[in-house]
Amino acid sequence: KTGALFGQALSYPPVVIAFAVLFFAMALSLFGYFAIRAPHFLTNKLTSKKSGTGFIGAFFSGLIAGIVASPCVGPVLVGVLAYIAQTQNTILGFALLFTFAMGMGLLFIALGTFSSFVNKIPKSGNWMDFIKYGMGFAMLGLCAYYLQPILTGQQFNFLVGALCIFSGRVIFS
């Protein structure tokens, strides 16, 4: 029932425009125009405490990792959830969210199982900017994708052209 409700909501132009604006704002965040961060009081409190050992320690370590990673994966998860709500396909929704969860969790499982992999993880650097820009371009694509049904052909072509010009400005600035 919830999927049908979201799918019906996505047939109204104001809701579609709101989603497009949200994706555009997330693209701007990924391009570095502004930052989305967890509140400082929360991150300071969680990172200053020792997590402990055993199941309780693993739970709190995962909790801290989730809070720290949420600004990074939030835009992608919103995009996946919006697509699932639009298609209203529960099997596809399960497959996409399962794939997303496996992509997020397999690295941690591998690192926990084979601790020698920790030394082989690439360090953050300029390559991360390419990843962020790639995800930003994907968010711009989602913005255009959601606006396509409510725009005429000429308006859509203008939007895609404007997004391409904006993308070129981001790449070459």
Side-chain angles (χ1 to χ4, degrees):
K1 293 201 179 236
T2 307
L5 180 68
F6 283 118
Q8 186 178 15
L10 284 172
S11 66
Y12 295 110
V15 175
V16 173
I17 291 170
F19 266 106
V21 168
L22 177 68
F23 287 126
F24 187 74
M26 286 189 277
L28 291 178
S29 173
L30 288 168
F31 291 142
Y33 286 101
F34 64 92
I36 301 172
R37 292 191 175 97
H40 289 294
F41 75 90
L42 188 61
T43 55
N44 290 342
K45 192 175 203 177
L46 289 174
T47 56
S48 67
K49 292 187 177 184
K50 296 287 182 193
S51 60
T53 59
F55 292 116
I56 304 288
F59 174 77
F60 282 112
S61 294
L63 182 71
I64 292 169
I67 291 172
V68 170
S70 63
C72 301
V73 300
V76 177
L77 184 59
V78 167
V80 170
L81 290 173
Y83 182 73
I84 292 168
Q86 184 183 22
T87 60
Q88 298 180 10
N89 187 338
T90 55
I91 303 297
L92 176 65
F94 172 79
L96 289 174
L97 289 174
F98 182 78
T99 304
F100 182 80
M102 286 295 106
M104 290 293 298
L106 282 178
L107 177 65
F108 294 114
I109 292 171
L111 289 176
T113 305
F114 307 104
S115 59
S116 62
F117 282 169
V118 172
N119 297 330
K120 298 181 184 195
I121 295 176
K123 304 294 182 223
S124 62
N126 290 339
W127 70 275
M128 287 295 289
D129 290 334
F130 291 112
I131 301 297
K132 279 177 43 180
Y133 289 160
M135 293 309 298
F137 296 136
M139 292 295 146
L140 289 178
L142 282 170
C143 175
Y145 174 80
Y146 277 98
L147 287 175
Q148 183 182 13
I150 64 171
L151 297 176
T152 65
Q154 187 176 8
Q155 290 171 332
F156 181 73
N157 290 340
F158 178 78
L159 173 68
V160 170
L163 291 176
C164 287
I165 290 170
F166 176 74
S167 299
R169 184 182 177 285
V170 167
I171 290 172
F172 296 112
S173 64

